[in-house]
Amino acid sequence: MDRPASLSVTLNGACLNAHWFLTLADAQEKLEDWRTYYNEDRPDGAIGNKPLILLQNSASADFTSTKTIVSSFSRLDGEIVIGTINIDTASVKLYDSNDQSGIIDKARTSGTTSIALADINISALTDAAADLTILEDYVRIADASLSDVTLAASNLGATKQRLTLQQDFVTSLLDTLTRGIGQLVDADMTRESTRLQALQAQQQLAVQALGIANSNSQSILKLFGG
């Protein structure tokens, strides 16, 4: 997510400066549409200009809960083999604007209270016994949500570590190939330089031989002339 200053700039440029707000209701509707787009459908450059996988809309026509990402790179019999892994985002998504089945917006039940973590509001609670009971239910719901977030983070962390290891391997492989190509180029340059020197030496020998031949002919002519 963007930092507050960056988010403010994005909001001004992509929403406030791009629309006319005719009434308060119109402004609320357009701002809500933009919020939904920003959180659920906006392409994120950090993940290949795709929507964030933790904020989903399962009603979208192109929605699929299983995301496939590249996980390995190898060579087999001279051919490049790309390996992939699948991530089931159904268990790690935070929000789902379609059916509210994400970790944060999913309704949970504790005691007589059924509510999503995102909807919890304790501002109106007092120290009355009934409110304290509700507050205890809220705490248990928050604990359950925290456990789900921790598990999701663990799963994503394991996947990230696997991708990081593969990224390091590919980087090392690229450096090795770059050095190898550089050495081949240097070897070719040395070989061509040696060949050039040999040709220059042959040319010099040919010139010298031609000079010797010419001088011998002049000597013979002088003998006959004498």
Side-chain angles (χ1 to χ4, degrees):
M1 299 296 289
D2 292 340
R3 291 176 296 179
S6 177
L7 177 59
S8 176
V9 172
T10 303
L11 174 61
N12 289 330
C15 183
L16 300 182
N17 294 337
H19 297 285
W20 288 97
F21 301 108
L22 303 179
T23 63
L24 177 60
D26 181 54
Q28 291 174 336
E29 180 180 355
K30 289 177 178 177
L31 286 171
E32 177 60 22
D33 289 342
W34 183 84
R35 185 196 66 80
T36 301
Y37 165 79
Y38 185 87
N39 285 335
E40 299 168 9
D41 302 321
R42 171 180 60 95
D44 192 327
I47 55 174
N49 289 322
K50 297 179 181 179
L52 297 172
I53 65 173
L54 300 184
L55 309 174
Q56 299 181 356
N57 180 4
S58 56
S60 299
D62 58 348
F63 171 78
T64 173
S65 63
T66 302
K67 309 297 181 182
T68 301
I69 58 177
V70 175
S71 63
S72 64
F73 169 90
S74 60
R75 287 181 178 273
L76 180 62
D77 297 331
E79 296 183 358
I80 296 177
V81 178
I82 302 297
T84 60
I85 58 176
N86 294 328
I87 299 178
D88 183 11
T89 61
S91 62
V92 299
K93 63 182 177 181
L94 300 180
Y95 290 90
D96 189 332
S97 60
N98 176 47
D99 56 7
Q100 291 74 51
S101 59
I103 296 175
I104 305 299
D105 63 353
K106 176 174 61 178
R108 301 172 186 269
T109 301
S110 176
T112 59
T113 304
S114 181
I115 192 172
L117 179 66
D119 298 328
I120 290 179
N121 184 353
I122 64 173
S123 60
L125 298 180
T126 66
D127 59 353
D131 287 348
L132 291 177
T133 300
I134 293 175
L135 187 59
E136 291 176 355
D137 291 339
Y138 283 174
V139 170
R140 284 189 286 269
I141 290 173
D143 286 340
S145 300
L146 179 60
S147 296
D148 288 347
V149 169
T150 301
L151 179 60
S154 177
N155 293 334
L156 291 176
T159 302
K160 177 180 179 297
Q161 181 63 22
R162 180 175 177 180
L163 295 177
T164 299
L165 291 174
Q166 186 63 31
Q167 182 180 21
D168 292 341
F169 167 73
V170 172
T171 300
S172 299
L173 179 61
L174 180 60
D175 291 341
T176 301
L177 292 176
T178 301
R179 288 195 300 269
I181 292 173
Q183 292 173 355
L184 289 175
V185 171
D186 292 340
D188 288 343
M189 292 297 294
T190 302
R191 179 181 178 184
E192 293 301 325
S193 177
T194 303
R195 291 182 58 186
L196 178 60
Q197 291 176 358
L199 291 175
Q200 289 175 342
Q202 291 177 0
Q203 183 180 21
Q204 292 174 358
L205 290 173
V207 171
Q208 291 177 0
L210 183 60
I212 293 173
N214 288 335
S215 63
N216 288 338
S217 62
Q218 292 296 330
S219 299
I220 294 173
L221 288 175
K222 287 181 180 179
L223 290 174
F224 281 106

